[in-house]
């Protein structure tokens, strides 16, 4: 089976869920090899990568790989593409992953597909384009297919791989050292799942009415084990932090379930959420554009509907 490189997303030595999804997806198309950039790989992380099917784990432990912004990871992958001739490279379609994919495509003279929501035989990708408005099938016709896949596109499923480790050393170019990371600010890791990785997202918009009222959105999210999101109207009003904004200028989410409460469904908001598998809209205006998109809609005042929903979920 052909080798497929999967760039590992990791924080504090922990492998992120999207990597397990990519390994699972890669197994359907070939033999996955995980690529760990930077120091700090732990025995637990190695075990986790092998558990989800990594036959090989390439570890590039040099500190300078993570000392500079993005470019070193693209150089590491380019070196591996040259040395190992993989049949494809998969990265997460996060802000960083997409930039790495683009740079890698230039370095390897290959085609790149971003925002893939599925990948099938012959590396034909289902790709979400035009801000999520249209899904097309895309295929790379030049070089090594480089595909950035959205979180939550595949359900992660374990299937043991050998997890054979190979250390890689990379001599970074001067160009890769152009932008150095001077400080990392750790975000509080709350009890809720991370927005871009969550299977369920409950988002509030202008209809929520105030920062205090966001507690009803949070209560529903907590009852469902979901992440909280917000429209730009809500974040601009200071009701919820900007890091939770969903949309064109916020985060892109692709959960199993997206609940939009008091959100009209502007094109810029849709761009960040319309590849969600099931969309539920709660809005007091039956003409709100979000209902065109929703699988289920509740016409009503969210201040009544959302707490009732929370109560009902808690009972089950
Ligand atoms: P509104 O459009 O004001 O809608 C509020 C909705 O709440 C209405 O449909 C109303 O009927 C309903 N409502 C009111 N009260 C209640 C109630 N009590 N119960 C139930 N329903 C109620 N927006 C984003 O979200 N994300 C982005 O990333 C983003 N990027 C942008 C980038 C650019 C360049 C531009 C120009 C705009 C961007 N926007 C973005 C803004 C976007 O155009 C909309 O203005 C925004 O999404 C509106 O947010 P909203 O739906 O919460 O508010």
């Amino acid at each position: 089976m052909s080798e497929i490189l999967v760039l590992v997303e990791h924080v504090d030595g922990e492998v992120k869920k999207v990597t397990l999804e990519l390994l699972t997806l890669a197994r359907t198309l070939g033999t996955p090899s995980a690529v760990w950039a930077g120091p700090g790989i732990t025995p637990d992380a190695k075990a986790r990568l092998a558990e989800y099917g990594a036959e090989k784990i390439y570890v590039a432990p040099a500190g300078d790989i993570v000392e500079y912004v993005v470019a070193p990871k693209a150089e590491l992958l380019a070196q591996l593409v040259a040395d190992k001739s993989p049949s494809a490279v998969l990265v997460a379609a996060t802000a960083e992953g997409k930039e790495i994919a683009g740079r890698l495509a230039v370095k390897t003279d290959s085609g790149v597909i971003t925002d893939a929501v599925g990948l099938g035989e012959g590396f034909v990708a289902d790709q979400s384009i035009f801000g999520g408005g249209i899904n097309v099938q895309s295929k790379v016709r030049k070089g090594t297919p480089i595909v950035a896949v959205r979180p939550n596109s595949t359900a992660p499923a374990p299937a043991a791989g050998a997890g054979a480790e190979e250390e890689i050393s990379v001599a970074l170019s001067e160009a890769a050292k152009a932008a150095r990371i001077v400080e990392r600010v750790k975000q509080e890791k709350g009890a809720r799942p991370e927005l871009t990785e969550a299977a369920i997202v409950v988002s509030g918009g202008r209809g929520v009415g105030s920062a205090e009222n966001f507690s009803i959105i949070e209560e529903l999210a907590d009852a469902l084990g979901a992440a909280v999101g917000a429209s730009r109207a809500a974040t601009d009003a200071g009701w919820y932090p900007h890091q939770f904004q969903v949309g064109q200028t916020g985060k892109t989410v692709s959960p199993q379930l997206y609940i939009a409460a008091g959100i009209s469904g502007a094109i810029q908001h849709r761009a960040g959420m319309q590849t969600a598998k099931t969309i539920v809209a709660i809005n007091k205006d039956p003409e709100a554009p979000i209902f065109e998109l929703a699988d289920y809609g509740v016409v009503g005042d969210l201040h009544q509907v959302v707490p009732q929903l929370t109560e009902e979920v808690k009972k089950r």
Side-chain angles (χ1 to χ4, degrees):
M1 289 276 263
S2 56
E3 183 175 27
I4 298 173
L5 299 183
V6 171
L7 180 64
V8 178
E9 292 235 346
H10 55 89
V11 177
D12 297 335
E14 240 178 72
V15 178
K16 293 184 79 178
K17 180 171 146 259
V18 66
T19 300
L20 310 180
E21 296 168 10
L22 295 188
L23 289 170
T24 305
L25 182 62
R27 284 201 328 261
T28 65
L29 301 161
T31 306
S33 292
V35 181
W36 181 286
I41 189 163
T42 61
D44 275 357
K46 284 182 212 167
R48 197 120 175 94
L49 295 170
E51 188 190 343
Y52 281 78
E55 276 301 307
K56 288 185 187 161
I57 304 173
Y58 297 120
V59 181
D64 54 2
I65 289 185
V66 286
E67 198 180 322
Y68 299 93
V69 180
V70 184
K73 292 181 184 168
E75 288 202 354
L76 163 64
L77 287 172
Q79 181 177 315
L80 283 168
V81 168
D83 291 351
K84 313 285 178 189
S85 305
S87 52
V89 180
L90 306 187
V91 301
T94 54
E96 182 181 277
K98 286 198 269 192
E99 188 171 340
I100 292 169
R103 286 170 181 265
L104 178 62
V106 172
K107 285 182 187 305
T108 57
D109 199 17
S110 299
V112 61
I113 296 171
T114 59
D115 292 310
V117 290
L119 194 59
E121 204 154 312
F123 299 105
V124 175
D126 293 319
Q127 188 188 15
S128 169
I129 62 164
F130 296 149
I134 299 176
N135 269 21
V136 293
Q137 290 209 312
S138 311
K139 185 173 158 75
V140 166
R141 293 169 61 189
K142 190 178 183 200
T144 307
I146 296 157
V147 188
V149 184
R150 280 201 181 160
N152 287 318
S153 298
T154 307
E165 192 176 330
E166 186 179 325
E167 194 167 312
I168 306 289
S169 74
V170 205
L172 293 182
S173 70
E174 280 311 304
K177 298 179 181 175
R180 194 164 69 83
I181 296 168
V182 290
E183 189 190 1
R184 284 175 204 273
V185 181
K186 221 173 167 177
Q187 271 181 7
E188 283 297 309
K189 197 176 171 190
R192 294 190 190 104
E194 203 201 309
L195 182 56
T196 54
E197 294 204 331
I200 306 177
V201 174
V202 183
S203 284
R206 202 193 305 272
V208 173
S210 67
E212 295 70 43
N213 286 350
F214 252 86
S215 62
I216 63 170
I217 302 293
E218 292 184 326
E219 278 162 24
L220 177 57
D222 291 342
L224 290 165
V228 173
S231 73
R232 183 157 155 185
T235 57
D236 278 357
W239 299 345
Y240 219 67
H242 277 283
Q243 76 209 58
F244 298 101
Q245 183 184 312
V246 172
Q248 186 184 315
T249 42
K251 302 242 165 85
T252 300
V253 299
S254 210
Q256 297 296 323
L257 173 63
Y258 187 86
I259 302 178
I263 292 176
S264 61
I267 184 82
Q268 296 89 353
H269 187 78
R270 290 173 179 221
M273 47 64 78
Q274 63 187 349
T275 52
K277 311 290 176 297
T278 302
I279 297 168
V280 176
I282 302 164
N283 199 302
K284 67 178 186 187
D285 174 8
E287 302 298 325
I290 191 81
F291 286 126
E292 292 162 15
L293 196 67
D295 298 285
Y296 301 95
V298 183
V299 178
D301 184 341
L302 71 89
H303 301 101
Q304 289 167 10
V305 176
V306 174
Q308 282 177 34
L309 198 53
T310 307
E311 279 315 304
E312 201 52 45
V313 171
K314 280 184 181 167
K315 279 189 211 155
R316 295 177 186 215

